[in-house]
Amino acid sequence: MSEKKKYELEYLLKTSPKVLYNLVATPSGLSEWFADNVNVNKDNIYTFIWDGAEEEARLITKRNGECIKWIWMSDEEEGENTYFEFKIATDPMTKSTLFYVIDFAEEDEVEEATELWESQINELKRILGA
């Protein structure tokens, strides 16, 4: 298996950091734009459901209002040192809300993965009314 490449996407969103954080860090918020349904258990294992298919991810970092990071259980079992992360920041000059997606993909799949994130972020923007 080839090594996955880290990539980062940046989006300017017309919302408050608090509203955005609730949409990216809670199961109910994630269910609005990221997956059909999201559940979390007492061990901080999130189950993401898309069209009946389930993927589990373990929460590894959560800083209130700033970032949330998971590792896919399948990647963890394979010994992959990869994760996906959402970060929120405020541009000091414009006071706009910046949203970052950090993820990993095979070298030849980065473009396809980026397109998938673009689609997800468009849904997030729709939910935000932005």
Side-chain angles (χ1 to χ4, degrees), residues 49-112:
I49 303 165
W50 292 275
D51 297 325
E54 295 184 4
E55 288 285 336
E56 290 186 328
R58 182 172 54 85
L59 178 69
I60 52 178
T61 304
K62 187 174 187 178
R63 285 194 298 266
N64 195 21
E66 294 178 23
C67 73
I68 187 161
K69 183 191 299 187
W70 298 267
I71 184 169
W72 292 113
M73 299 298 285
S74 56
D75 288 347
E76 190 173 54
E77 290 164 5
E78 293 175 14
E80 294 276 343
N81 191 20
T82 60
Y83 56 87
F84 70 105
E85 180 176 17
F86 299 142
K87 287 185 178 180
I88 300 168
T90 302
D91 183 289
M93 297 288 283
T94 65
K95 303 298 183 210
S96 300
T97 300
L98 299 171
F99 182 56
Y100 299 91
V101 175
I102 297 99
D103 200 0
F104 291 78
E106 300 288 337
E107 183 80 42
D108 62 344
E109 295 176 355
V110 171
E111 186 176 331
E112 183 180 321

Short mmCIF file of all heavy atoms in Angstrom, two decimals, residues 49-112:
data_model
loop_
_atom_site.label_atom_id
_atom_site.label_comp_id
_atom_site.label_asym_id
_atom_site.label_seq_id
_atom_site.Cartn_x
_atom_site.Cartn_y
_atom_site.Cartn_z
N ILE A 49 -22.91 7.31 9.11
CA ILE A 49 -23.74 6.47 8.25
C ILE A 49 -24.09 7.24 6.98
O ILE A 49 -24.61 8.36 7.04
CB ILE A 49 -25.03 6.04 8.99
CG1 ILE A 49 -24.65 5.29 10.29
CG2 ILE A 49 -25.92 5.18 8.09
CD1 ILE A 49 -25.78 5.14 11.27
N TRP A 50 -23.77 6.61 5.83
CA TRP A 50 -24.10 7.16 4.51
C TRP A 50 -24.82 6.06 3.73
O TRP A 50 -24.24 4.98 3.53
CB TRP A 50 -22.86 7.53 3.72
CG TRP A 50 -22.07 8.69 4.25
CD1 TRP A 50 -22.28 10.01 4.02
CD2 TRP A 50 -20.89 8.61 5.06
NE1 TRP A 50 -21.32 10.76 4.65
CE2 TRP A 50 -20.46 9.91 5.30
CE3 TRP A 50 -20.17 7.56 5.62
CZ2 TRP A 50 -19.35 10.22 6.07
CZ3 TRP A 50 -19.06 7.85 6.40
CH2 TRP A 50 -18.66 9.17 6.60
N ASP A 51 -26.04 6.34 3.27
CA ASP A 51 -26.78 5.37 2.45
C ASP A 51 -26.73 3.96 3.02
O ASP A 51 -26.53 2.98 2.30
CB ASP A 51 -26.25 5.36 1.00
CG ASP A 51 -26.45 6.69 0.30
OD1 ASP A 51 -27.48 7.36 0.57
OD2 ASP A 51 -25.58 7.07 -0.49
N GLY A 52 -26.86 3.84 4.33
CA GLY A 52 -26.88 2.54 4.97
C GLY A 52 -25.51 1.96 5.29
O GLY A 52 -25.39 0.99 6.04
N ALA A 53 -24.45 2.50 4.71
CA ALA A 53 -23.08 2.03 5.00
C ALA A 53 -22.55 2.78 6.22
O ALA A 53 -22.80 3.98 6.39
CB ALA A 53 -22.17 2.26 3.80
N GLU A 54 -21.83 2.07 7.07
CA GLU A 54 -21.29 2.67 8.29
C GLU A 54 -19.77 2.70 8.27
O GLU A 54 -19.13 1.76 7.80
CB GLU A 54 -21.74 1.88 9.52
CG GLU A 54 -23.22 1.92 9.78
CD GLU A 54 -23.61 1.20 11.07
OE1 GLU A 54 -22.71 0.74 11.81
OE2 GLU A 54 -24.81 1.12 11.33
N GLU A 55 -19.21 3.78 8.79
CA GLU A 55 -17.76 3.90 9.00
C GLU A 55 -17.59 4.43 10.42
O GLU A 55 -18.29 5.36 10.84
CB GLU A 55 -17.13 4.89 8.02
CG GLU A 55 -17.04 4.39 6.61
CD GLU A 55 -15.95 3.35 6.41
OE1 GLU A 55 -14.98 3.32 7.19
OE2 GLU A 55 -16.09 2.57 5.46
N GLU A 56 -16.64 3.85 11.15
CA GLU A 56 -16.38 4.30 12.50
C GLU A 56 -15.07 5.06 12.58
O GLU A 56 -14.09 4.71 11.89
CB GLU A 56 -16.33 3.11 13.46
CG GLU A 56 -17.68 2.47 13.68
CD GLU A 56 -17.64 1.38 14.73
OE1 GLU A 56 -16.61 0.70 14.88
OE2 GLU A 56 -18.66 1.23 15.42
N ALA A 57 -15.06 6.08 13.43
CA ALA A 57 -13.86 6.88 13.65
C ALA A 57 -13.74 7.17 15.14
O ALA A 57 -14.75 7.40 15.82
CB ALA A 57 -13.94 8.18 12.87
N ARG A 58 -12.52 7.13 15.63
CA ARG A 58 -12.26 7.42 17.04
C ARG A 58 -11.85 8.88 17.18
O ARG A 58 -10.96 9.35 16.48
CB ARG A 58 -11.16 6.49 17.57
CG ARG A 58 -10.87 6.69 19.06
CD ARG A 58 -9.91 5.64 19.61
NE ARG A 58 -8.68 5.54 18.86
CZ ARG A 58 -7.61 6.31 19.06
NH1 ARG A 58 -7.63 7.25 19.98
NH2 ARG A 58 -6.51 6.14 18.35
N LEU A 59 -12.51 9.58 18.10
CA LEU A 59 -12.16 10.96 18.40
C LEU A 59 -10.78 10.97 19.06
O LEU A 59 -10.56 10.26 20.04
CB LEU A 59 -13.21 11.57 19.34
CG LEU A 59 -12.95 13.00 19.79
CD1 LEU A 59 -13.10 13.96 18.61
CD2 LEU A 59 -13.89 13.38 20.91
N ILE A 60 -9.86 11.79 18.52
CA ILE A 60 -8.53 11.85 19.13
C ILE A 60 -8.20 13.24 19.68
O ILE A 60 -7.36 13.36 20.56
CB ILE A 60 -7.42 11.35 18.18
CG1 ILE A 60 -7.47 12.02 16.82
CG2 ILE A 60 -7.50 9.86 18.02
CD1 ILE A 60 -6.36 11.59 15.87
N THR A 61 -8.87 14.28 19.20
CA THR A 61 -8.66 15.64 19.72
C THR A 61 -9.95 16.42 19.61
O THR A 61 -10.63 16.35 18.58
CB THR A 61 -7.56 16.40 18.93
OG1 THR A 61 -6.37 15.66 18.94
CG2 THR A 61 -7.31 17.78 19.51
N LYS A 62 -10.26 17.18 20.65
CA LYS A 62 -11.42 18.07 20.58
C LYS A 62 -11.12 19.28 21.47
O LYS A 62 -10.97 19.15 22.67
CB LYS A 62 -12.68 17.35 21.07
CG LYS A 62 -13.95 18.15 20.87
CD LYS A 62 -15.17 17.31 21.23
CE LYS A 62 -16.45 18.02 20.88
NZ LYS A 62 -17.63 17.18 21.18
N ARG A 63 -10.97 20.45 20.83
CA ARG A 63 -10.77 21.69 21.55
C ARG A 63 -11.97 22.58 21.25
O ARG A 63 -12.18 22.99 20.10
CB ARG A 63 -9.46 22.37 21.14
CG ARG A 63 -8.24 21.69 21.75
CD ARG A 63 -6.99 22.54 21.63
NE ARG A 63 -6.62 22.81 20.26
CZ ARG A 63 -5.74 22.09 19.56
NH1 ARG A 63 -5.16 21.05 20.10
NH2 ARG A 63 -5.46 22.42 18.32
N ASN A 64 -12.72 22.86 22.28
CA ASN A 64 -13.98 23.59 22.14
C ASN A 64 -13.82 24.87 21.33
O ASN A 64 -13.01 25.72 21.66
CB ASN A 64 -14.55 23.89 23.53
CG ASN A 64 -16.00 24.30 23.47
OD1 ASN A 64 -16.70 24.02 22.50
ND2 ASN A 64 -16.47 24.97 24.49
N GLY A 65 -14.59 24.96 20.26
CA GLY A 65 -14.60 26.14 19.42
C GLY A 65 -13.44 26.25 18.44
O GLY A 65 -13.40 27.17 17.63
N GLU A 66 -12.47 25.31 18.51
CA GLU A 66 -11.28 25.42 17.68
C GLU A 66 -11.08 24.28 16.69
O GLU A 66 -10.83 24.52 15.52
CB GLU A 66 -10.03 25.50 18.57
CG GLU A 66 -9.94 26.73 19.41
CD GLU A 66 -8.71 26.71 20.29
OE1 GLU A 66 -7.73 26.01 19.98
OE2 GLU A 66 -8.73 27.40 21.32
N CYS A 67 -11.11 23.04 17.19
CA CYS A 67 -10.84 21.93 16.28
C CYS A 67 -11.39 20.62 16.82
O CYS A 67 -11.69 20.49 18.01
CB CYS A 67 -9.34 21.79 16.00
SG CYS A 67 -8.40 21.14 17.39
N ILE A 68 -11.53 19.69 15.90
CA ILE A 68 -11.93 18.33 16.23
C ILE A 68 -11.25 17.40 15.23
O ILE A 68 -11.16 17.71 14.05
CB ILE A 68 -13.47 18.17 16.25
CG1 ILE A 68 -13.87 16.79 16.77
CG2 ILE A 68 -14.09 18.51 14.91
CD1 ILE A 68 -15.30 16.70 17.24
N LYS A 69 -10.69 16.30 15.76
CA LYS A 69 -9.89 15.39 14.93
C LYS A 69 -10.28 13.95 15.23
O LYS A 69 -10.43 13.58 16.39
CB LYS A 69 -8.42 15.60 15.22
CG LYS A 69 -7.48 14.78 14.37
CD LYS A 69 -6.03 14.80 14.85
CE LYS A 69 -5.39 16.14 14.87
NZ LYS A 69 -3.93 16.09 15.18
N TRP A 70 -10.43 13.16 14.15
CA TRP A 70 -10.74 11.74 14.27
C TRP A 70 -9.75 10.92 13.45
O TRP A 70 -9.16 11.41 12.51
CB TRP A 70 -12.12 11.41 13.68
CG TRP A 70 -13.30 12.04 14.28
CD1 TRP A 70 -14.10 11.53 15.26
CD2 TRP A 70 -13.93 13.27 13.89
NE1 TRP A 70 -15.15 12.37 15.51
CE2 TRP A 70 -15.07 13.45 14.69
CE3 TRP A 70 -13.61 14.25 12.95
CZ2 TRP A 70 -15.92 14.54 14.58
CZ3 TRP A 70 -14.44 15.35 12.84
CH2 TRP A 70 -15.58 15.49 13.64
N ILE A 71 -9.66 9.62 13.80
CA ILE A 71 -8.96 8.67 12.96
C ILE A 71 -9.98 7.58 12.61
O ILE A 71 -10.73 7.12 13.47
CB ILE A 71 -7.71 8.06 13.64
CG1 ILE A 71 -6.97 7.15 12.67
CG2 ILE A 71 -8.05 7.36 14.94
CD1 ILE A 71 -5.59 6.72 13.14
N TRP A 72 -10.02 7.25 11.32
CA TRP A 72 -10.91 6.16 10.90
C TRP A 72 -10.43 4.87 11.54
O TRP A 72 -9.23 4.58 11.54
CB TRP A 72 -10.93 6.02 9.38
CG TRP A 72 -11.58 7.16 8.68
CD1 TRP A 72 -10.95 8.05 7.86
CD2 TRP A 72 -12.95 7.56 8.71
NE1 TRP A 72 -11.86 8.98 7.39
CE2 TRP A 72 -13.09 8.70 7.90
CE3 TRP A 72 -14.09 7.06 9.36
CZ2 TRP A 72 -14.32 9.36 7.71
CZ3 TRP A 72 -15.31 7.71 9.18
CH2 TRP A 72 -15.41 8.84 8.36
N MET A 73 -11.32 4.09 12.10
CA MET A 73 -10.96 2.84 12.77
C MET A 73 -10.25 1.90 11.79
O MET A 73 -9.29 1.23 12.17
CB MET A 73 -12.19 2.17 13.37
CG MET A 73 -12.90 3.01 14.43
SD MET A 73 -11.90 3.38 15.87
CE MET A 73 -11.94 1.81 16.68
N SER A 74 -10.68 1.88 10.54
CA SER A 74 -10.05 1.01 9.55
C SER A 74 -8.59 1.42 9.31
O SER A 74 -7.72 0.57 9.16
CB SER A 74 -10.82 1.02 8.24
OG SER A 74 -10.94 2.35 7.74
N ASP A 75 -8.30 2.72 9.32
CA ASP A 75 -6.92 3.19 9.16
C ASP A 75 -6.09 2.85 10.39
O ASP A 75 -4.93 2.46 10.29
CB ASP A 75 -6.87 4.70 8.92
CG ASP A 75 -7.36 5.10 7.54
OD1 ASP A 75 -7.51 4.21 6.68
OD2 ASP A 75 -7.59 6.30 7.32
N GLU A 76 -6.70 3.00 11.55
CA GLU A 76 -5.99 2.71 12.80
C GLU A 76 -5.60 1.23 12.85
O GLU A 76 -4.48 0.89 13.23
CB GLU A 76 -6.89 3.08 13.99
CG GLU A 76 -6.19 3.07 15.31
CD GLU A 76 -7.07 3.61 16.42
OE1 GLU A 76 -8.21 3.13 16.60
OE2 GLU A 76 -6.61 4.53 17.12
N GLU A 77 -6.52 0.36 12.45
CA GLU A 77 -6.26 -1.09 12.47
C GLU A 77 -5.14 -1.46 11.49
O GLU A 77 -4.40 -2.40 11.73
CB GLU A 77 -7.54 -1.86 12.13
CG GLU A 77 -8.58 -1.79 13.24
CD GLU A 77 -9.98 -2.20 12.79
OE1 GLU A 77 -10.14 -2.65 11.63
OE2 GLU A 77 -10.90 -2.07 13.60
N GLU A 78 -5.03 -0.71 10.39
CA GLU A 78 -3.99 -0.97 9.40
C GLU A 78 -2.66 -0.30 9.77
O GLU A 78 -1.69 -0.39 9.02
CB GLU A 78 -4.44 -0.48 8.02
CG GLU A 78 -5.61 -1.27 7.45
CD GLU A 78 -6.12 -0.69 6.15
OE1 GLU A 78 -5.44 0.16 5.55
OE2 GLU A 78 -7.22 -1.09 5.73
N GLY A 79 -2.64 0.39 10.91
CA GLY A 79 -1.41 1.05 11.33
C GLY A 79 -1.15 2.37 10.63
O GLY A 79 -0.06 2.91 10.70
N GLU A 80 -2.16 2.89 9.95
CA GLU A 80 -2.02 4.18 9.27
C GLU A 80 -1.94 5.30 10.31
O GLU A 80 -2.68 5.30 11.29
CB GLU A 80 -3.22 4.45 8.36
CG GLU A 80 -3.35 3.52 7.19
CD GLU A 80 -2.50 3.94 6.02
OE1 GLU A 80 -2.05 5.08 5.97
OE2 GLU A 80 -2.30 3.09 5.14
N ASN A 81 -1.07 6.23 10.11
CA ASN A 81 -0.96 7.40 10.98
C ASN A 81 -1.67 8.57 10.30
O ASN A 81 -1.08 9.61 10.06
CB ASN A 81 0.51 7.71 11.27
CG ASN A 81 0.65 8.73 12.37
OD1 ASN A 81 -0.25 8.93 13.16
ND2 ASN A 81 1.80 9.38 12.42
N THR A 82 -2.92 8.35 9.95
CA THR A 82 -3.70 9.37 9.24
C THR A 82 -4.93 9.74 10.06
O THR A 82 -5.34 9.00 10.95
CB THR A 82 -4.13 8.88 7.86
OG1 THR A 82 -4.94 7.71 8.03
CG2 THR A 82 -2.94 8.55 6.98
N TYR A 83 -5.50 10.86 9.75
CA TYR A 83 -6.67 11.36 10.47
C TYR A 83 -7.42 12.32 9.57
O TYR A 83 -6.98 12.64 8.46
CB TYR A 83 -6.22 12.08 11.76
CG TYR A 83 -5.24 13.21 11.51
CD1 TYR A 83 -5.69 14.50 11.23
CD2 TYR A 83 -3.86 12.98 11.51
CE1 TYR A 83 -4.79 15.53 10.97
CE2 TYR A 83 -2.97 14.01 11.26
CZ TYR A 83 -3.44 15.28 11.00
OH TYR A 83 -2.55 16.30 10.74
N PHE A 84 -8.58 12.78 10.03
CA PHE A 84 -9.21 13.92 9.39
C PHE A 84 -9.58 14.89 10.49
O PHE A 84 -9.90 14.50 11.61
CB PHE A 84 -10.37 13.53 8.47
CG PHE A 84 -11.62 13.03 9.14
CD1 PHE A 84 -12.74 13.84 9.25
CD2 PHE A 84 -11.68 11.74 9.63
CE1 PHE A 84 -13.90 13.37 9.85
CE2 PHE A 84 -12.83 11.25 10.23
CZ PHE A 84 -13.95 12.07 10.34
N GLU A 85 -9.44 16.16 10.17
CA GLU A 85 -9.58 17.20 11.18
C GLU A 85 -10.30 18.41 10.61
O GLU A 85 -10.13 18.77 9.45
CB GLU A 85 -8.17 17.60 11.64
CG GLU A 85 -8.15 18.68 12.69
CD GLU A 85 -6.73 18.97 13.17
OE1 GLU A 85 -5.74 18.60 12.50
OE2 GLU A 85 -6.61 19.61 14.23
N PHE A 86 -11.09 19.03 11.48
CA PHE A 86 -11.74 20.30 11.16
C PHE A 86 -11.18 21.34 12.12
O PHE A 86 -11.13 21.12 13.33
CB PHE A 86 -13.26 20.24 11.36
CG PHE A 86 -13.97 19.22 10.52
CD1 PHE A 86 -15.02 18.50 11.04
CD2 PHE A 86 -13.62 18.99 9.19
CE1 PHE A 86 -15.71 17.58 10.28
CE2 PHE A 86 -14.29 18.06 8.42
CZ PHE A 86 -15.35 17.35 8.97
N LYS A 87 -10.74 22.48 11.58
CA LYS A 87 -10.25 23.59 12.40
C LYS A 87 -11.05 24.84 12.08
O LYS A 87 -11.43 25.06 10.93
CB LYS A 87 -8.77 23.87 12.12
CG LYS A 87 -7.82 22.86 12.67
CD LYS A 87 -6.39 23.31 12.43
CE LYS A 87 -5.40 22.34 12.99
NZ LYS A 87 -4.02 22.79 12.77
N ILE A 88 -11.25 25.65 13.10
CA ILE A 88 -11.97 26.91 12.94
C ILE A 88 -11.08 28.03 13.46
O ILE A 88 -10.47 27.92 14.52
CB ILE A 88 -13.29 26.88 13.74
CG1 ILE A 88 -14.19 25.74 13.24
CG2 ILE A 88 -14.00 28.23 13.65
CD1 ILE A 88 -15.37 25.45 14.12
N ALA A 89 -11.00 29.09 12.68
CA ALA A 89 -10.20 30.25 13.08
C ALA A 89 -10.92 31.51 12.63
O ALA A 89 -11.83 31.46 11.79
CB ALA A 89 -8.81 30.18 12.45
N THR A 90 -10.51 32.62 13.18
CA THR A 90 -11.05 33.92 12.77
C THR A 90 -9.92 34.71 12.14
O THR A 90 -8.84 34.85 12.74
CB THR A 90 -11.62 34.68 13.98
OG1 THR A 90 -12.64 33.88 14.59
CG2 THR A 90 -12.22 36.02 13.56
N ASP A 91 -10.15 35.20 10.93
CA ASP A 91 -9.15 36.02 10.26
C ASP A 91 -8.99 37.32 11.05
O ASP A 91 -9.97 38.04 11.26
CB ASP A 91 -9.60 36.31 8.83
CG ASP A 91 -8.57 37.10 8.07
OD1 ASP A 91 -8.39 38.30 8.37
OD2 ASP A 91 -7.94 36.53 7.15
N PRO A 92 -7.78 37.63 11.51
CA PRO A 92 -7.59 38.82 12.35
C PRO A 92 -7.89 40.13 11.64
O PRO A 92 -8.28 41.11 12.28
CB PRO A 92 -6.12 38.75 12.77
CG PRO A 92 -5.47 37.77 11.86
CD PRO A 92 -6.54 36.89 11.30
N MET A 93 -7.71 40.16 10.33
CA MET A 93 -7.94 41.40 9.59
C MET A 93 -9.42 41.62 9.28
O MET A 93 -9.95 42.70 9.49
CB MET A 93 -7.14 41.38 8.27
CG MET A 93 -5.65 41.32 8.46
SD MET A 93 -4.98 42.86 9.05
CE MET A 93 -5.00 43.81 7.56
N THR A 94 -10.08 40.58 8.77
CA THR A 94 -11.46 40.74 8.31
C THR A 94 -12.49 40.27 9.32
O THR A 94 -13.68 40.52 9.14
CB THR A 94 -11.68 39.94 7.01
OG1 THR A 94 -11.54 38.54 7.31
CG2 THR A 94 -10.70 40.36 5.93
N LYS A 95 -12.04 39.54 10.34
CA LYS A 95 -12.93 38.94 11.36
C LYS A 95 -13.84 37.88 10.75
O LYS A 95 -14.83 37.48 11.34
CB LYS A 95 -13.76 40.01 12.09
CG LYS A 95 -12.94 41.10 12.76
CD LYS A 95 -12.04 40.54 13.83
CE LYS A 95 -11.30 41.66 14.54
NZ LYS A 95 -10.02 41.28 15.04
N SER A 96 -13.52 37.40 9.56
CA SER A 96 -14.28 36.34 8.91
C SER A 96 -13.93 34.99 9.53
O SER A 96 -12.84 34.81 10.08
CB SER A 96 -13.96 36.29 7.42
OG SER A 96 -14.29 37.50 6.80
N THR A 97 -14.87 34.06 9.44
CA THR A 97 -14.65 32.71 9.97
C THR A 97 -13.98 31.86 8.91
O THR A 97 -14.48 31.73 7.79
CB THR A 97 -15.99 32.08 10.41
OG1 THR A 97 -16.57 32.91 11.43
CG2 THR A 97 -15.78 30.68 10.95
N LEU A 98 -12.84 31.27 9.27
CA LEU A 98 -12.12 30.37 8.38
C LEU A 98 -12.33 28.94 8.85
O LEU A 98 -12.28 28.66 10.05
CB LEU A 98 -10.63 30.70 8.40
CG LEU A 98 -10.25 32.10 7.94
CD1 LEU A 98 -8.78 32.36 8.22
CD2 LEU A 98 -10.57 32.27 6.46
N PHE A 99 -12.56 28.04 7.90
CA PHE A 99 -12.78 26.64 8.20
C PHE A 99 -11.77 25.82 7.41
O PHE A 99 -11.64 26.00 6.20
CB PHE A 99 -14.21 26.24 7.82
CG PHE A 99 -14.56 24.82 8.12
CD1 PHE A 99 -14.42 24.30 9.39
CD2 PHE A 99 -15.04 23.99 7.12
CE1 PHE A 99 -14.76 22.99 9.68
CE2 PHE A 99 -15.38 22.67 7.39
CZ PHE A 99 -15.24 22.17 8.67
N TYR A 100 -11.04 24.98 8.11
CA TYR A 100 -10.01 24.15 7.48
C TYR A 100 -10.39 22.68 7.60
O TYR A 100 -10.82 22.23 8.65
CB TYR A 100 -8.65 24.35 8.17
CG TYR A 100 -8.15 25.77 8.11
CD1 TYR A 100 -8.44 26.67 9.12
CD2 TYR A 100 -7.39 26.21 7.04
CE1 TYR A 100 -7.99 27.98 9.07
CE2 TYR A 100 -6.92 27.52 6.98
CZ TYR A 100 -7.23 28.40 8.00
OH TYR A 100 -6.78 29.69 7.94
N VAL A 101 -10.19 21.96 6.50
CA VAL A 101 -10.33 20.52 6.48
C VAL A 101 -8.95 19.96 6.21
O VAL A 101 -8.32 20.31 5.21
CB VAL A 101 -11.32 20.06 5.38
CG1 VAL A 101 -11.35 18.54 5.28
CG2 VAL A 101 -12.70 20.63 5.60
N ILE A 102 -8.47 19.11 7.11
CA ILE A 102 -7.19 18.44 6.93
C ILE A 102 -7.49 16.95 6.79
O ILE A 102 -8.20 16.38 7.63
CB ILE A 102 -6.23 18.69 8.11
CG1 ILE A 102 -5.90 20.18 8.22
CG2 ILE A 102 -4.94 17.90 7.95
CD1 ILE A 102 -6.68 20.92 9.21
N ASP A 103 -6.99 16.34 5.73
CA ASP A 103 -7.30 14.94 5.46
C ASP A 103 -6.11 14.30 4.75
O ASP A 103 -5.14 14.98 4.41
CB ASP A 103 -8.57 14.84 4.61
CG ASP A 103 -9.25 13.49 4.67
OD1 ASP A 103 -8.75 12.58 5.37
OD2 ASP A 103 -10.29 13.33 4.01
N PHE A 104 -6.20 13.01 4.52
CA PHE A 104 -5.17 12.24 3.83
C PHE A 104 -5.81 11.43 2.72
O PHE A 104 -6.94 10.98 2.86
CB PHE A 104 -4.47 11.26 4.80
CG PHE A 104 -3.62 11.94 5.83
CD1 PHE A 104 -4.19 12.53 6.94
CD2 PHE A 104 -2.25 11.97 5.69
CE1 PHE A 104 -3.41 13.14 7.91
CE2 PHE A 104 -1.45 12.57 6.66
CZ PHE A 104 -2.04 13.16 7.76
N ALA A 105 -5.08 11.24 1.64
CA ALA A 105 -5.54 10.41 0.53
C ALA A 105 -4.33 9.87 -0.22
O ALA A 105 -3.24 10.45 -0.15
CB ALA A 105 -6.43 11.20 -0.42
N GLU A 106 -4.55 8.79 -0.95
CA GLU A 106 -3.51 8.27 -1.83
C GLU A 106 -3.17 9.38 -2.83
O GLU A 106 -4.04 10.16 -3.22
CB GLU A 106 -3.99 7.03 -2.57
CG GLU A 106 -4.41 5.87 -1.68
CD GLU A 106 -3.25 5.17 -1.01
OE1 GLU A 106 -2.11 5.26 -1.52
OE2 GLU A 106 -3.48 4.53 0.03
N GLU A 107 -1.93 9.43 -3.27
CA GLU A 107 -1.46 10.47 -4.19
C GLU A 107 -2.40 10.65 -5.39
O GLU A 107 -2.75 11.77 -5.75
CB GLU A 107 -0.05 10.13 -4.67
CG GLU A 107 0.56 11.18 -5.58
CD GLU A 107 1.14 12.36 -4.81
OE1 GLU A 107 1.77 12.14 -3.78
OE2 GLU A 107 0.96 13.49 -5.28
N ASP A 108 -2.82 9.54 -5.98
CA ASP A 108 -3.67 9.61 -7.17
C ASP A 108 -5.16 9.82 -6.85
O ASP A 108 -5.98 9.86 -7.75
CB ASP A 108 -3.48 8.38 -8.05
CG ASP A 108 -3.88 7.08 -7.34
OD1 ASP A 108 -4.02 7.08 -6.09
OD2 ASP A 108 -4.05 6.06 -8.04
N GLU A 109 -5.50 9.97 -5.56
CA GLU A 109 -6.90 10.17 -5.16
C GLU A 109 -7.15 11.52 -4.50
O GLU A 109 -8.27 11.80 -4.10
CB GLU A 109 -7.32 9.04 -4.21
CG GLU A 109 -7.31 7.67 -4.87
CD GLU A 109 -7.63 6.54 -3.89
OE1 GLU A 109 -7.77 6.82 -2.68
OE2 GLU A 109 -7.73 5.40 -4.35
N VAL A 110 -6.13 12.37 -4.40
CA VAL A 110 -6.28 13.66 -3.73
C VAL A 110 -7.31 14.53 -4.45
O VAL A 110 -8.17 15.15 -3.81
CB VAL A 110 -4.93 14.39 -3.58
CG1 VAL A 110 -5.12 15.82 -3.08
CG2 VAL A 110 -4.02 13.62 -2.65
N GLU A 111 -7.26 14.57 -5.77
CA GLU A 111 -8.21 15.41 -6.52
C GLU A 111 -9.64 14.94 -6.29
O GLU A 111 -10.53 15.75 -6.04
CB GLU A 111 -7.87 15.38 -8.02
CG GLU A 111 -8.72 16.34 -8.82
CD GLU A 111 -8.32 16.39 -10.28
OE1 GLU A 111 -7.14 16.15 -10.61
OE2 GLU A 111 -9.21 16.68 -11.10
N GLU A 112 -9.86 13.64 -6.35
CA GLU A 112 -11.21 13.09 -6.13
C GLU A 112 -11.66 13.36 -4.69
O GLU A 112 -12.83 13.73 -4.46
CB GLU A 112 -11.18 11.58 -6.39
CG GLU A 112 -12.52 10.91 -6.25
CD GLU A 112 -12.44 9.41 -6.53
OE1 GLU A 112 -11.70 9.01 -7.44
OE2 GLU A 112 -13.12 8.67 -5.81
#
